[in-house]
Amino acid sequence: MPLNAAVSPEMQAAADQELCVVLKPISHAELGDIVIENGLFAIGRTEAPFGSYRPEIVAGLSRRHARIFLADGAVYVADLDSKNGTTVNRVRVQEKPTSLRDGDEICFGGDLSYRVRLGGRTKAPRRVAKLLSLTLNPARSDLGLQAIVLAQFPFLIGKADQSFLRHHNGQPQQLNYISRRHAHIFVKGDTPFVEDLGSKNGTSVGGKRLDEHAVPLEDGDVVAFGGNHFVYTVSLEKALEVEPTETKMAPVAPRATAQRSDPEKTTFVVAAGSFLDIFCVDEPLPQKEERNGEESKPAEPAKPEPDPHQGQGRFAILLSALAEAFGGSERGSMRRACWWAGSVAALLGIFALVVYLWGASERGIKDAYAGGDYARAVAAANRYLERNPDSAEIKALDTQALLKAGVPNWLTLLRAGDFQRASAALAGMRQLSGRNADVRPLIGDLEWMGEVEKFVTDRGGVDAPVRIYVDEDKIRALLKQWQEDAQERQRAFATIASYVPEFKDAYAEALSHLRKLQNDDSVYVAAIERLKATISAELDRDSPRALDAVLQDYSEKYPRLGGLDGVRRDLRQYIEVQNEARSRRLGRLYTLLTKVQFSTPPFQAKFRALTASDRFPPAEVLRQYGAVSEAWRQGDTNEAFARLHRMDAGPWADAVTAELQRKRALMEGYAALQRERGARDYEERLLAFYGALDADEDVYFLHGVESDVGLYRDQALARAQGSLNRAEASWRQYSEHGAIEGKERLKAAISNDFRTQAQLLSEALENVQRGARIYAQLKVARPAQWIKVEADIKAEAEGQRKSLLELRNVLEPALLKSKLALLGGDRSEDERKSP
């Protein structure tokens, strides 16, 4: 059964009557009823009749607030991202259009409410100038555009539509001026209208840009989408006729227009998007296809040709043969005549049984399907198609039965998040479709939908962060699969929904997820690609530290950009490894290599390149040092020293020597502590030794002094806290009096104000560094508040010292040295170079 042959019962029911929608006012009883007779009705503060209401009544309406429309024999309302929203029975209409039923209460903008009344009325035949087709002829012949023939409405203008997407390779820049949902052309009372959908670059008719109102299109009008490239002249094909009693959704093929157009330069569009598709989330109406300008009608199930060995043909042949045999026999006795009569009766009975059994399998399929035993119907259909592979009727029954048997269970598994079993269910359906090529594409479409739902669920929902290096490729792959044949996939889903009604809600949700992914692709995936390019560029320039500010900027601009913590972690690891390699600290570098693990592709690649460069110790040196490290960790210092002496490190010999000296100093310091335990300055020396130990390398010595450190830990932390408190008090006094001003620095003598402020700043710096040092020696993390205080004090002290150094050519050297000494702190490189 062709995909475009599926027509819903609602559409068939709507064929006899014209649906009429009446909005009866609730909140403002003085307003009259609104009667909606056409397929699309606009709600907005400047739209009729709202534009004639008092300003205070429509104050809550947006200019483009909502749309009420007819689709698939039902009435829907779609909110157009209005400021104050739209509700149905006090439930907000969000991304998904909501169907309206008789008696529903609908409210626009939080104040303007109506009661919905639905009714039907018989169409009265009338003579109308019926619109057969609308053709968009390119206004210029030198741009490579093609004429677009529309025979079915509404039609969505968008960059993803094939009519415009076909220009992607030749004119990608121009295509970017078209939005994904740019505008739509629809018919009201046999008059075509065009409405801009809030596109970025606008739509114009006759050179005038459209606002929120739809405008009618006349023959010869010039309409432009997104600028001055996609510009077309409108050509209408109409015929005067008595309006038939049929649904207005049925397309009429533009035969005359197709004959006048060059088929090589004309796009015939008959699979237009429905209002449900245009207004964002629900499933589109089943569409009809058009080829070479002629309408293709829904294919009827093919009936098997009469078999020459079936039915009356065989019976006639048999009677003829018997008559010939009987008539041509010699005259016989009554016994012979009776024998022939009995033989004929027996043969007729056998033949009747054969005819009955001949059609039994086909009847069994139909009976099983009619009885709701779809699994048995599928099994029987497969056996039948094995013998009769070209039976279109049985293929159609098999398609319906397979979908009815498998899709509900698949939907249950999908909603439960059991994607593995859902995938297995589709695999089972595909296996059962082996004799029916018509149903296999439908199963493929369900597999795509399952991938979308699994991807959305695994991420944590459609509003979950878009993770760099994780989600962008999958999003683009899913969208690419959709865009390769979006209209065919929509028709397939409409067909499935016509057989399995519960599929409609899942399909609508999948479309909602699809549009969210499209938005994420245009915003977040695009941002991710820019960030990835920046990361690679900074790493290639060997300036990874610049990425800290870049990552911070992106995290602030794109709040749903995920995965940045992993990038920051890799950045810290890479910088640390790079620093240790540059410092040629062999022990620390070896320890880092046993722990680092990069999770993002650019840092993985740069780390491999770094380890393969001459800035990194050779693999043999690292292997030999591994044995040294193991002996040192176990406390076998003699073995560690012996192996260090035997190492042939080549260019890294100096690093081996430095490591040997460090280890000897630690061993001697440990021995001295053991001898001087209990001495007056033992606590200070113990903490200094403990702070110099590497938590990964110097495990043996850490264990050796841990018990003593434990005895002094609380006292040391109390001293650290006291130092930090004094630092904060000095810093507060300094801040209250104001920073040291430039005039104080310039004075030819040290003023009292300069001395007082400099001493406060110096005391604050000395105390905060002492407290931080004790925390570091104890290998305890400082509270966050002290980290900030220390950073503020250090920044002010460094700023004051830098400002003084800039006056070295103005102040006497001795005076400059005295002022710097009052500020305290370590001498900078500039100070060491100063005379």
Side-chain angles (χ1 to χ4, degrees):
M1 184 177 184
L3 297 181
N4 59 1
V7 179
S8 69
E10 292 85 355
M11 286 179 63
Q12 295 171 349
D16 297 329
Q17 286 192 322
E18 199 172 42
L19 189 60
C20 180
V21 183
V22 178
L23 301 182
K24 293 185 170 293
I26 298 175
S27 57
H28 297 275
E30 72 278 10
L31 303 178
D33 291 354
I34 298 176
V35 180
I36 302 173
E37 298 178 342
N38 294 298
L40 178 65
F41 179 70
I43 294 98
R45 66 171 176 264
T46 60
E47 300 282 358
F50 306 100
S52 63
Y53 295 167
R54 298 193 309 275
E56 62 270 19
I57 294 179
V58 295
L61 293 185
S62 300
R63 295 174 70 87
R64 297 179 69 255
H65 193 99
R67 296 290 185 267
I68 293 176
F69 58 89
L70 174 68
D72 202 12
V75 181
Y76 293 84
V77 61
D79 185 81
L80 301 184
D81 196 22
S82 63
K83 179 179 179 181
N84 296 310
T86 302
T87 62
V88 176
N89 298 327
R90 295 178 176 80
V91 177
R92 182 151 186 164
V93 178
Q94 296 179 336
E95 293 180 350
K96 179 181 177 182
T98 299
S99 61
L100 297 176
R101 295 176 175 80
D102 188 61
D104 282 349
E105 179 182 333
I106 187 169
C107 182
F108 306 109
D111 180 59
L112 198 57
S113 57
Y114 295 86
R115 182 74 61 195
V116 177
R117 292 302 179 192
L118 305 181
R121 60 184 180 187
T122 304
K123 297 180 183 178
R126 55 189 176 94
R127 292 184 67 80
V128 294
K130 187 168 185 62
L131 179 66
L132 297 180
S133 67
L134 182 151
T135 303
L136 298 175
N137 295 301
R140 291 175 55 183
S141 60
D142 59 335
L143 297 180
L145 302 181
Q146 297 186 0
I148 304 173
V149 179
L150 308 181
Q152 182 176 345
F153 302 92
F155 174 64
L156 175 64
I157 307 291
K159 66 167 59 179
D161 186 89
Q162 190 59 40
S163 307
F164 297 91
L165 186 61
R166 65 189 309 144
H167 302 293
H168 179 270
N169 292 331
Q171 300 154 327
Q173 296 300 324
Q174 295 297 338
L175 186 61
N176 285 336
Y177 287 97
I178 303 291
S179 300
R180 290 184 180 274
R181 295 177 62 255
H182 193 99
H184 71 116
I185 297 174
F186 62 97
V187 174
K188 183 164 65 173
D190 280 307
T191 297
F193 284 76
V194 62
E195 180 184 17
D196 188 80
L197 294 173
S199 64
K200 180 178 180 181
N201 295 302
T203 302
S204 63
V205 176
K208 182 179 180 181
R209 182 160 178 167
L210 302 185
D211 52 18
E212 67 274 9
H213 298 290
V215 299
L217 292 174
E218 301 290 343
D219 200 64
D221 280 347
V222 176
V223 59
F225 304 106
N228 56 10
H229 185 83
F230 292 101
V231 182
Y232 301 88
T233 302
V234 176
S235 176
L236 305 180
E237 185 78 16
K238 293 186 177 182
L240 190 63
E241 62 178 24
V242 175
E243 187 181 38
T245 304
E246 61 183 8
T247 59
K248 293 182 178 179
M249 302 170 197
V252 181
R255 299 170 186 259
T257 303
Q259 291 170 359
R260 289 198 301 270
S261 302
D262 182 352
E264 296 298 323
K265 296 182 179 180
T266 303
T267 303
F268 294 97
V269 180
V270 296
S274 71
F275 286 124
L276 281 171
D277 185 46
I278 288 171
F279 293 121
C280 303
V281 296
D282 214 340
E283 69 275 16
L285 294 175
Q287 306 289 338
K288 296 184 178 181
E289 294 181 344
E290 182 176 13
R291 296 183 178 87
N292 301 323
E294 295 186 4
E295 179 182 340
S296 61
K297 298 180 179 180
E300 296 292 339
K303 297 181 179 179
E305 297 181 0
D307 193 321
H309 304 293
Q310 184 176 359
Q312 294 299 322
R314 175 177 289 274
F315 183 63
I317 293 171
L318 179 61
L319 287 181
S320 175
L322 289 176
E324 182 179 351
F326 186 77
S329 61
E330 298 179 354
R331 293 180 181 179
S333 62
M334 183 63 67
R335 180 184 299 175
R336 188 172 183 80
C338 291
W339 183 84
W340 273 108
S343 298
V344 169
L347 286 173
L348 288 175
I350 293 172
F351 181 73
L353 179 61
V354 169
V355 169
Y356 178 81
L357 293 176
W358 193 286
S361 61
E362 187 173 337
R363 280 196 308 275
I365 297 169
K366 295 179 180 179
D367 290 345
Y369 181 85
D373 193 348
Y374 303 121
R376 185 163 64 89
V378 170
N382 280 338
R383 291 193 297 270
Y384 185 92
L385 291 173
E386 186 175 0
R387 300 189 304 271
N388 305 278
D390 298 325
S391 176
E393 182 181 14
I394 298 304
K395 281 185 178 180
L397 270 177
D398 179 58
T399 297
Q400 298 179 42
L402 184 57
L403 293 174
K404 287 177 176 289
V407 171
N409 177 56
W410 174 76
L411 285 174
T412 300
L413 296 171
L414 206 64
R415 293 189 184 105
D418 193 345
F419 298 107
Q420 184 173 359
R421 291 180 60 195
S423 179
L426 289 182
M429 291 176 63
R430 184 175 288 280
Q431 185 175 3
L432 291 173
S433 69
R435 303 288 178 184
N436 186 357
D438 292 348
V439 76
R440 285 197 290 274
L442 303 181
I443 298 173
D445 292 325
L446 292 175
E447 289 171 341
W448 173 87
M449 181 174 164
E451 289 180 12
V452 170
E453 296 306 302
K454 182 179 186 302
F455 176 69
V456 169
T457 301
D458 289 347
R459 286 176 56 213
V462 291
D463 295 319
V466 182
R467 299 163 294 178
I468 186 172
Y469 300 115
V470 177
D471 294 331
E472 64 268 29
D473 289 341
K474 185 62 175 179
I475 289 175
R476 287 192 165 170
L478 291 172
L479 293 180
K480 182 181 178 182
Q481 293 174 35
W482 173 264
Q483 292 163 358
E484 283 174 349
D485 200 352
Q487 292 181 345
E488 185 64 28
R489 206 179 292 273
Q490 287 174 330
R491 287 193 291 268
F493 286 145
T495 296
I496 298 171
S498 69
Y499 299 145
V500 187
E502 57 264 45
F503 178 75
K504 290 183 179 180
D505 289 340
Y507 171 38
E509 185 175 12
L511 279 183
S512 178
H513 293 169
L514 171 68
R515 287 178 173 83
K516 186 65 175 177
L517 293 180
Q518 289 172 333
N519 290 336
D520 285 345
D521 178 51
S522 62
V523 178
Y524 279 89
V525 174
I528 283 173
E529 293 304 326
R530 293 194 300 272
L531 177 56
K532 287 163 66 174
T534 302
I535 291 172
S536 297
E538 295 297 343
L539 290 178
D540 289 342
R541 284 197 289 266
D542 204 19
S543 55
R545 291 187 182 277
L547 291 174
D548 277 323
V550 173
L551 295 175
Q552 182 63 30
D553 181 54
Y554 270 81
S555 66
E556 292 172 355
K557 287 182 178 178
Y558 303 96
R560 288 182 52 243
L561 178 55
L564 293 183
D565 288 343
V567 178
R568 290 190 180 98
R569 183 171 55 252
D570 280 2
L571 176 61
R572 288 194 299 269
Q573 289 185 128
Y574 182 77
I575 290 174
E576 191 173 6
V577 170
Q578 191 181 56
N579 288 342
E580 297 300 341
R582 286 173 176 169
S583 301
R584 301 172 70 82
R585 289 195 286 260
L586 187 58
R588 182 61 188 155
L589 182 59
Y590 174 81
T591 300
L592 281 177
L593 294 180
T594 63
K595 297 193 300 181
V596 296
Q597 186 172 4
F598 295 94
S599 60
T600 56
F603 287 101
Q604 291 170 343
K606 291 302 293 184
F607 178 68
R608 287 194 298 268
L610 178 62
T611 56
S613 70
D614 56 4
R615 293 185 296 167
F616 219 73
E620 178 60 21
V621 171
L622 291 173
R623 186 193 66 77
Q624 293 178 18
Y625 188 82
V628 173
S629 178
E630 182 61 27
W632 184 254
R633 286 168 54 84
Q634 298 297 327
D636 192 348
T637 56
N638 292 331
E639 178 68 13
F641 289 137
R643 288 185 176 274
L644 275 171
H645 283 297
R646 291 198 301 269
M647 283 184 65
D648 181 15
W652 281 75
D654 59 334
V656 173
T657 300
E659 194 61 37
L660 180 62
Q661 293 173 349
R662 176 185 175 276
K663 285 180 167 47
R664 286 195 183 280
L666 283 179
M667 189 177 69
E668 292 170 0
Y670 181 72
L673 279 177
Q674 300 303 309
R675 291 193 303 270
E676 299 172 9
R677 179 179 293 176
R680 200 171 111 185
D681 61 345
Y682 177 72
E683 178 186 347
E684 186 174 341
R685 294 181 60 187
L686 173 66
L687 293 182
F689 178 80
Y690 186 73
L693 297 177
D694 185 287
D696 297 303
E697 276 276 292
D698 307 323
V699 177
Y700 174 78
F701 297 101
L702 283 170
H703 291 329
V705 298
E706 268 182 348
S707 58
D708 283 1
V709 171
L711 295 175
Y712 298 104
R713 181 182 299 273
D714 292 341
Q715 297 175 13
L717 286 175
R719 287 202 311 275
Q721 186 65 40
S723 295
L724 293 174
N725 289 336
R726 288 190 294 273
E728 185 179 33
S730 299
W731 174 242
R732 188 183 305 111
Q733 291 181 47
Y734 175 85
S735 301
E736 288 173 353
H737 286 85
I740 300 173
E741 297 180 350
K743 63 181 182 180
E744 296 295 333
R745 291 192 295 268
L746 272 170
K747 286 181 178 180
I750 299 176
S751 68
N752 290 332
D753 286 344
F754 182 91
R755 186 182 302 277
T756 300
Q757 286 296 90
Q759 287 177 347
L760 286 173
L761 183 58
S762 175
E763 290 171 3
L765 182 61
E766 181 181 355
N767 280 299
V768 80
Q769 289 177 335
R770 183 183 297 114
R773 185 168 55 253
I774 294 174
Y775 271 103
Q777 290 173 342
L778 292 173
K779 304 185 188 306
V780 176
R782 282 173 293 160
Q785 69 178 94
W786 296 119
I787 295 176
K788 184 179 184 309
V789 170
E790 180 185 11
D792 291 342
I793 295 173
K794 280 186 174 181
E796 176 63 15
E798 290 172 3
Q800 289 292 342
R801 298 184 76 88
K802 183 177 179 182
S803 297
L804 274 172
L805 287 171
E806 290 173 353
L807 301 175
R808 60 166 59 92
N809 296 326
V810 178
L811 298 176
E812 292 291 334
L815 178 62
L816 176 62
K817 184 176 181 181
S818 297
K819 287 187 175 184
L820 288 172
L822 285 173
L823 289 175
D826 297 330
R827 294 177 65 195
S828 67
E829 185 67 22
D830 287 343
E831 290 177 64
R832 283 190 287 271
K833 293 179 181 178
S834 297

